[in-house]
């Protein structure tokens, strides 16, 4: 009989119960949790059991489930260099492959065990997953749409294409989504950095969106929709989308619809903080970016009170938003918006796992679940601070740091 490993931890936050356990032990075998308990629950000292191959002494650490970033762009870097950002439009797969691998390593080093990509114009990330992922040692679970879909002449050139002439949006989804993990649709522009709260028109009409979402569902694929402003968000929700990405200036009615329909919202707060810090201090653009962030924080606070399902996404790869490190900044902003530690952890684990459909590999720590967890030095009160340098990142029983 193969021996088991025993983990001794000072605290446990399992990602679902809303409680904090003290002096916890976790037993794992073949990559799965076989027992989970706390001091005194066994009636004897579990660490004296000689059948254990190894005891991981993490008694000064807090255990949490593996984290999930629900919105990244793995083929892109957060560099502020304009020439480099422009070059990202034309890079070959051979140029992009090491970039994707490096970004996945950055995520793993911060305890992020699954990511959902938001697309790239050439579908490089999906090709990387299908052709190379199994040969790599980076264990992060990756979900990719390939490319996103946008309207001709509208925002989204860096992440996707318009439907070819003679093809509808639904036609493209029906053909392309068969080989992808989910569908990405762009239904608005970017936030203005010169006119606070300015809304762009939707990129598609309601019938186009509704048919595209339906085609995706017929193939078992969820649809994520980039949408800012009241009109574009309302249309995406009426079309039956599965998540709203960004959602700046969506207003109260759409927040209520999100809660009623139990659609996930990925608010990507840190994007505007990054803009505000990188743009020329005191400039109009920097001031508007700061106002955009303030508005989004207020929306998240209202969403929390309404029971909206929040999931964490960083939009890593956008200007100033770096893979891995930006996740901590996103959690700090959720805390600033009024979420408590348990709510933040649910958004970063349980909700992300459900949205990505990876509950069998990620999510709450319980008996029978994969032994995938992050150990952070210190008590839960230091959790977000300690995420900058995890002590252990364990994926299916293997420390990957």
């Amino acid at each position: 009989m193969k021996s088991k490993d025993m983990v001794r931890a000072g605290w446990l936050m399992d990602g679902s119960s809303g409680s904090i356990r003290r002096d916890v032990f976790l037993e794992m075998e073949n990559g799965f949790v076989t027992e989970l308990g706390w001091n005194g629950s066994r009636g004897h000292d579990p660490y004296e059991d000689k059948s254990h191959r190894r005891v991981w002494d993490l008694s000064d650490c807090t255990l949490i489930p593996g984290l999930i970033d629900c919105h990244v762009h793995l083929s892109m870097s957060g560099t502020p260099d304009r020439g480099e950002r422009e070059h990202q439009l034309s890079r070959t797969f051979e140029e992009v492959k090491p970039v994707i691998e490096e970004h996945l390593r950055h995520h793993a080093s911060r305890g992020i065990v699954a990511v959902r990509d938001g697309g790239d114009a050439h579908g490089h990330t999906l090709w990387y997953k299908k052709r190379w992922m199994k040969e790599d040692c980076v264990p992060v679970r990756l979900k990719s749409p390939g490319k996103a879909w946008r309207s001709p002449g509208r925002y989204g050139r860096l992440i996707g294409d318009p439907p070819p002439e003679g093809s509808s949006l639904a036609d493209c989804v029906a053909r392309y989504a068969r080989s992808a993990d989910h569908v990405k649709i762009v239904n608005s522009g970017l936030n203005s950095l010169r006119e606070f709260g300015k809304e762009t028109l939707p990129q598609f009409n309601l019938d186009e969106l509704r048919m595209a979402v339906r085609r995706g569902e017929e193939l078992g694929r969820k649809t994520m929709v980039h949408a800012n402003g009241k009109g574009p968000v309302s249309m995406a929700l009426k079309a039956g989308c599965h998540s709203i990405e960004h959602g700046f200036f969506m207003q109260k009615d759409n927040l209520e619809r999100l809660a009623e329909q139990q659609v996930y919202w990925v608010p990507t707060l840190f994007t505007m903080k990054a803009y505000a810090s990188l743009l020329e201090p005191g400039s109009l653009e920097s001031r508007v970016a700061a106002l955009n962030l303030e508005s989004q924080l207020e929306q998240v606070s209202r969403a929390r009170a309404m029971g909206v399902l929040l999931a964490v996404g960083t939009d890593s790869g956008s200007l100033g938003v770096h893979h891995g490190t930006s996740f901590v900044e996103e959690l700090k902003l959720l805390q600033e918006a009024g979420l408590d530690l348990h709510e933040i952890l649910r958004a970063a684990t349980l909700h992300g796992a459900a949205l990505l459909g990876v509950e069998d590999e990620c999510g709450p720590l319980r008996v029978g679940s994969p032994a995938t967890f992050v150990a952070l030095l210190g008590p839960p009160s230091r959790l977000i601070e300690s995420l900058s340098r995890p002590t252990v990142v364990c994926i299916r029983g293997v420390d990957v740091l």
Side-chain angles (χ1 to χ4, degrees), residues 173-191:
V173 170
R175 286 195 300 269
Y176 196 77
R178 295 178 188 277
S179 61
D181 297 311
H182 54 269
V183 178
K184 169 71 178 292
I185 297 174
V186 182
N187 196 43
S188 75
L190 290 173
N191 293 316

Side-chain angles (χ1 to χ4, degrees), residues 42-297:
R42 260 195 178 186
H44 66 278
D45 188 349
Y47 311 108
E48 296 300 321
D49 189 335
K50 302 301 182 185
S51 69
H52 295 133
R53 177 182 54 192
R54 175 186 173 194
V55 174
W56 304 29
D57 186 3
L58 301 172
S59 53
D60 56 353
C61 295
T62 299
L63 289 192
I64 62 171
L67 302 166
I68 299 172
D69 193 330
C70 294
H71 194 127
V72 305
H73 293 278
L74 286 174
S75 70
M76 301 190 320
S77 165
T79 177
D81 185 290
R82 290 191 177 185
E84 174 61 21
R85 296 195 69 79
E86 185 66 23
H87 179 55
Q88 291 178 139
L89 279 168
S90 58
R91 284 190 302 202
T92 65
F93 178 75
E94 287 70 27
E95 292 177 295
V96 170
K97 180 178 178 288
V99 173
I100 293 173
E101 291 171 342
E102 180 184 13
H103 291 160
L104 286 171
R105 284 191 290 270
H106 288 329
H107 285 288
S109 71
R110 292 305 193 280
I112 300 163
V113 302
V115 296
R116 183 179 62 156
D117 195 74
D120 63 85
H122 303 288
H124 287 325
T125 302
L126 181 60
W127 179 242
Y128 168 81
K129 175 184 176 178
K130 295 171 74 67
R131 177 64 181 84
W132 297 99
M133 192 79 174
K134 292 180 181 178
E135 299 177 16
D136 293 329
C137 61
V138 182
V140 176
R141 180 75 184 272
L142 167 60
K143 295 281 191 173
S144 174
K147 63 178 72 176
W149 297 105
R150 61 182 177 89
S151 184
R154 294 292 303 274
Y155 163 75
R157 186 168 63 108
L158 195 60
I159 60 174
D161 290 330
E165 187 174 351
S167 294
S168 68
L169 179 62
D171 291 336
C172 293
V173 170
R175 286 195 300 269
Y176 196 77
R178 295 178 188 277
S179 61
D181 297 311
H182 54 269
V183 178
K184 169 71 178 292
I185 297 174
V186 182
N187 196 43
S188 75
L190 290 173
N191 293 316
S192 172
L193 294 178
R194 299 192 63 83
E195 185 177 339
F196 174 68
K198 181 180 180 180
E199 180 174 319
T200 61
L201 293 173
Q203 294 203 23
F204 298 98
N205 64 44
L206 179 57
D207 286 341
E208 288 175 314
L209 281 178
R210 185 175 284 139
M211 288 300 297
V213 172
R214 188 177 301 168
R215 288 289 182 272
E217 289 179 336
E218 289 170 357
L219 294 169
R221 307 293 189 265
K222 295 179 180 179
T223 298
M224 59 188 295
V225 179
H226 165 118
N228 295 308
K230 185 175 181 179
V233 172
S234 175
M235 187 174 292
L237 290 172
K238 288 176 182 176
C241 74
H242 302 89
S243 70
I244 294 293
E245 311 299 309
H246 317 303
F248 286 81
F249 309 112
M250 72 169 81
Q251 300 185 24
K252 181 182 176 182
D253 288 352
N254 281 319
L255 289 172
E256 291 174 343
R257 290 190 188 100
L258 279 166
E260 180 182 345
Q261 296 175 210
Q262 292 290 278
V263 172
Y264 286 93
W265 178 28
V266 184
T268 62
L269 290 155
F270 185 59
T271 54
M272 287 298 112
K273 186 169 183 177
Y275 270 115
S277 64
L278 285 172
L279 297 170
E280 183 180 351
S283 66
L284 173 63
E285 290 83 358
S286 179
R287 294 199 306 272
V288 171
L291 289 173
N292 290 347
L293 171 61
E294 182 180 343
S295 171
Q296 191 75 326
L297 286 167

